[in-house]
Amino acid sequence: MSGRIEQRERRRAWGLVLPALGWTGLFFLLPFAVMVVTSFARREGREIVLAWSLQNYVDFVEKSFLLRGLVVSLEITALVVVISVLLAYPLAWIIAERVPARWQRTALILAVLPFWTSYVVRSYAWVLLLSRNGVVNDTLLSLGLVSEPLEMASTRFATVTGFVHFFVMLLTLTIYANLVQLAPNLRRAAADLGANGWQTFRHVILPLTRPGIMVGAFLTFVLCIGDYITPQILGGNNELVLPQVIMLQLGRRADFPMAAALSLVLMAVVTLVYIAVARWMKMERT
Amino acid sequence: MRALLRALPWLYLALLYAFIFLPVVVLVLFSFQDGRLPVPPFQGPTLRWYGEVLSDSRLMAALGNSFLVALGSSALSVLLGFLAACGLARYRLPGSALLRGVLIAPMTVSYLIIALGLLSTLNAAGLPLSLWSVGAGHVVINLPLCFAIIYASMGGHQVSMERAARDLGAPEWKVMWLVTAPMLMPALLAAFFLSVTFSWDEFIIAFLLSRFDVTLPVEIWSLLRSGLSPRTNAIGSLVFLVSVALLLVLEATVFRKAGRR
C-alpha cells in the first residue's frame, strides 16, 4: 500500500522535474555533445566531414596565430584580475568601514549603477573617451600634459580599461559582502591585544577576506576570458583574444569544427583554473 | 599630515566613483550633442538624436523584439525552474544531487560555447534561425539561475502549510498555485527580474542565433560599425534609463521587502 503511494509520489515528482530537465537536455546537453563531435570533424571545401581526427587540436598547437589567441587571452585576463582586485578592495573597504552605516546601501548602489548600462554600450562609451579626439585626449591636451593626442583606441590598454571598469563594480560587491560579514569583535580583540590599524588589517581582516577575493577573482577570470564584445570593440584587430579567433572561424571561413575545438580548449582552461581554485579553497578552510 | 591621511580614503572614493561614472556621464552628455560627432567640444544641447532614435523603425523593432524575448524567456525560465524546484525539494528522487547538477550545469559554461553548440545543432537539424532560437538560448542561460534562486528559498516552513491545504482537500496543482507560489513570490519575482535583465542585455547568443529579426544589443552592435555617432549615445542613454527604472522598481518592491524580513 505504502509502496503504491510512494510510486505515485515519485511519478508526480518526475512530472515536475521533467520539463526543465528536457529543456536542459535538448538545448544544452545535446548541443554540447554535437559540439564535441564537431570538434573532431574536418571542413573540406564547404562540407563538414565527420573524420574523428584530432587535426583541429593539432592545428591549435602548431599554428601560431591560434595558440597566440590563448596566450593573449591569458595575459589580458591576468592583468584585468590583478588590477580590478587592487582597485576594488580599497573601495569596498572604505564603503564598509568609513561610510556611515545608513549611507552604505546608497554608496553601494551608486558604485554599481553603470553596471546597468548595456554591455555593448558601455564598451562604446569607452571608445568615445579613448578615441583620438575623445574626452581623455582633449583633457590631456588642454592641460598641456601631452603635446600630441595619445593613440589609446584599438590597443590592449583600451581593452584592459574597459574590462577593469566592469569588474571593479562586480568585485566591490563581492568583497564588500565579505567585509561586512566579519564580526566587529575580531577588530576589538585585535585592538585589545595591542595591534594598530595596519596590523589589524594585515593579520586579521585581509586573511579573513581572502575567500571573498578568490571567489570574485575567479568570477572575473571566467567572464573576462570568455568575452568577445570588449576586446572586439575596444581592442580592435591588432591582437586577437581567443573568443575573437573563434568568431573569426565562424565568419568568412565557416569552419565550425575549428571553432568547436577552440571553444573546448577555452572551456578546458577555465575548468583547470576552477579545479585549482577549488583545491585552494579547500586547503584554506582546513 | 594626519589630516591628509584622514582625507585619503575620501579622495580615493571620489576618484574611483569618477572612474566608474565617467563613461556613463560622457555617454549621456554627448547624446545631446548638436553636431555629427559625440566628441569635445560639447555643443547643444539638442534632442534631435532622441527624435531620430524614436522614429527609427529598425531600432524600435529591435526594442520590441528585445522586450518580447526577455519577457517570454524569463517567464518560461521561472515556470520551469519553479516546477523543478518543487519536484526536487518536496519529493525524494533517486539521484537528485545529479539532477540538480545537470540543471545548474549551463551556468558554468560560457555564453559563446552555449551559442555555438545551439548554432551547430540547429544547422545540423536544418532548422532556421529566428527570435525563437534566441529565446530558447536565453531560457538555457536563465533556467539554472531561476532554479537555484527558487530552490534555495524553499524551506521547511512552507511544507506544513502545503500539508494543511492538502488535508483540506486541495488537489496537487491547486496547492502549488494557491499556496506554494504565493509564499515564494519574492523569490519568483527576483528570479524573473534578474532573468529579464540578463536576457535584455545578452549579446553573443542573440547575435549568433538570429538572422533577420534581431534584438536591441545586436542592432546597436551593427550601428557601431558606422563609427561614432550621437545617435548611438541617445539609444544607449535610453537603454540605461530603462534599466535604472527597472532597478528602482526592484529595489522598492522585492529587495526592500526581503531586507526587512
Side-chain angles (χ1 to χ4, degrees):
Chain A
M1 186 63 192
S2 75
R4 206 108 150 254
I5 293 174
E6 209 167 85
Q7 215 175 20
R8 215 178 57 196
E9 295 254 293
R10 189 165 289 176
R11 210 176 303 142
R12 188 173 288 153
W14 276 115
L16 291 172
V17 178
L18 223 50
L21 210 59
W23 195 280
T24 308
L26 195 59
F27 294 110
F28 174 72
L29 294 177
L30 174 71
F32 191 70
V34 168
M35 215 172 71
V36 173
V37 172
T38 310
S39 78
F40 297 113
R42 295 292 293 161
R43 186 185 62 124
E44 281 169 19
R46 293 190 63 83
E47 294 287 299
I48 288 167
V49 185
L50 189 51
W52 294 110
S53 92
L54 284 170
Q55 195 56 45
N56 293 320
Y57 294 96
V58 174
D59 281 356
F60 167 70
V61 180
E62 284 180 349
K63 291 190 179 162
S64 63
F65 76 98
L66 297 174
L67 193 59
R68 179 86 194 124
L70 180 61
V71 174
V72 171
S73 275
L74 286 172
E75 283 172 7
I76 288 182
T77 305
L79 267 175
V80 168
V81 170
V82 171
I83 297 174
S84 303
V85 169
L86 288 180
L87 286 179
Y89 197 101
L91 182 62
W93 185 84
I94 291 167
I95 293 179
E97 298 282 323
R98 286 287 178 272
V99 174
R102 63 200 186 95
W103 290 109
Q104 283 187 11
R105 201 182 166 80
T106 313
L108 215 58
I109 289 179
L110 270 181
V112 298
L113 200 64
F115 211 79
W116 300 90
T117 43
S118 139
Y119 196 90
V120 174
V121 172
R122 203 168 325 110
S123 294
Y124 165 78
W126 277 106
V127 177
L128 282 184
L129 279 157
L130 299 177
S131 67
R132 221 185 132 74
N133 44 5
V135 173
V136 172
N137 266 327
D138 190 66
T139 312
L140 290 177
L141 283 171
S142 62
L143 288 176
L145 289 172
V146 294
S147 52
E148 284 277 298
L150 300 173
E151 289 298 340
M152 289 178 292
S154 299
T155 61
R156 182 182 287 200
F157 171 77
T159 306
V160 171
T161 307
F163 269 137
V164 165
H165 177 252
F166 181 72
F167 290 117
V168 160
M169 297 190 273
L170 191 81
L171 281 165
T172 303
L173 274 185
T174 60
I175 296 171
Y176 171 85
N178 203 183
L179 276 173
V180 291
Q181 270 174 7
L182 302 181
N185 288 348
L186 288 172
R187 214 159 297 133
R188 240 170 276 146
D192 284 349
L193 292 170
N196 63 25
W198 167 249
Q199 284 170 326
T200 308
F201 175 74
R202 173 73 187 76
H203 296 291
V204 180
I205 311 277
L206 187 61
L208 284 172
T209 46
R210 228 179 278 152
I213 298 174
M214 219 37 189
V215 170
F218 178 66
L219 204 61
T220 305
F221 174 85
V222 172
L223 293 175
C224 184
I225 204 164
D227 186 37
Y228 166 72
I229 303 170
T230 304
Q232 180 68 24
I233 296 181
L234 283 166
N237 293 319
N238 295 330
E239 53 170 8
L240 301 181
V241 297
L242 197 51
Q244 283 176 295
V245 178
I246 294 172
M247 291 296 278
L248 213 59
Q249 308 302 317
L250 285 185
R252 217 173 325 131
R253 298 165 45 88
D255 192 344
F256 268 94
M258 185 49 102
L262 293 176
S263 305
L264 290 172
V265 168
L266 183 64
M267 206 175 141
V269 170
V270 172
T271 309
L272 280 179
V273 173
Y274 171 75
I275 292 171
V277 170
R279 287 187 80 170
W280 182 88
M281 295 284 275
K282 219 174 189 178
M283 264 162 48
E284 184 85 344
R285 221 174 286 149
T286 50
Chain B
M1 188 62 200
R2 277 194 80 97
L4 191 73
L5 221 59
R6 190 159 294 172
L8 208 60
W10 301 108
L11 200 69
Y12 187 82
L13 197 75
L15 262 175
L16 261 268
Y17 272 102
F19 172 63
I20 288 173
F21 273 90
L22 192 61
V24 179
V25 171
V26 169
L27 179 82
V28 176
L29 177 68
F30 284 100
S31 68
F32 298 109
Q33 172 85 323
D34 198 1
R36 300 211 132 267
L37 279 177
V39 292
F42 177 69
Q43 300 149 333
T46 171
L47 284 173
R48 170 176 148 213
W49 303 107
Y50 286 92
E52 263 193 33
V53 161
L54 292 176
S55 59
D56 184 326
S57 60
R58 281 177 63 97
L59 269 176
M60 288 302 114
L63 188 82
N65 289 341
S66 267
F67 266 119
L68 214 63
V69 169
L71 294 178
S73 70
S74 302
L76 188 57
S77 304
V78 170
L79 179 67
L80 294 180
F82 171 65
L83 293 178
C86 285
L88 285 169
R90 292 290 181 261
Y91 302 93
R92 228 175 291 152
L93 275 176
S96 65
L98 178 72
L99 290 177
R100 280 200 302 269
V102 168
L103 288 179
I104 300 288
M107 234 192 226
T108 59
V109 178
S110 95
Y111 288 1
L112 177 62
I113 293 174
I114 291 175
L116 263 177
L118 274 168
L119 184 60
S120 340
T121 311
L122 289 173
N123 277 348
L127 291 168
L129 300 175
S130 67
L131 279 185
W132 291 100
S133 42
V134 177
H138 283 183
V139 174
V140 171
I141 58 169
N142 282 330
L143 178 55
L145 188 84
C146 291
F147 169 73
I149 291 175
I150 298 167
Y151 184 80
S153 69
M154 293 187 86
H157 66 279
Q158 296 130 349
V159 175
S160 46
M161 294 274 223
E162 288 164 15
R163 201 170 295 147
R166 230 168 270 139
D167 286 349
L168 292 170
E172 206 55 37
W173 66 268
K174 251 189 173 165
V175 175
M176 278 172 57
W177 179 246
L178 295 174
V179 180
T180 314
M183 280 196 296
L184 290 174
M185 206 34 96
L188 294 177
L189 281 179
F192 180 74
F193 281 113
L194 219 55
S195 296
V196 167
T197 48
F198 278 146
S199 170
W200 168 253
D201 197 22
E202 199 286 325
F203 171 74
I204 200 80
I205 294 175
F207 180 63
L208 287 176
L209 295 184
S210 63
R211 182 134 299 165
F212 304 113
D213 289 321
V214 297
T215 60
L216 195 56
V218 180
E219 184 63 35
I220 294 176
W221 177 267
S222 53
L223 279 183
L224 295 191
R225 288 201 185 160
S226 49
L228 304 179
S229 158
R231 230 162 67 101
T232 313
N233 288 49
I235 182 71
S237 306
L238 283 176
V239 172
F240 179 54
L241 203 71
V242 170
S243 307
V244 170
L246 204 69
L247 180 72
L248 288 179
V249 170
L250 212 64
E251 168 73 14
T253 57
V254 184
F255 290 138
R256 172 105 347 143
K257 259 185 214 151
R260 212 181 279 154
R261 195 169 289 160

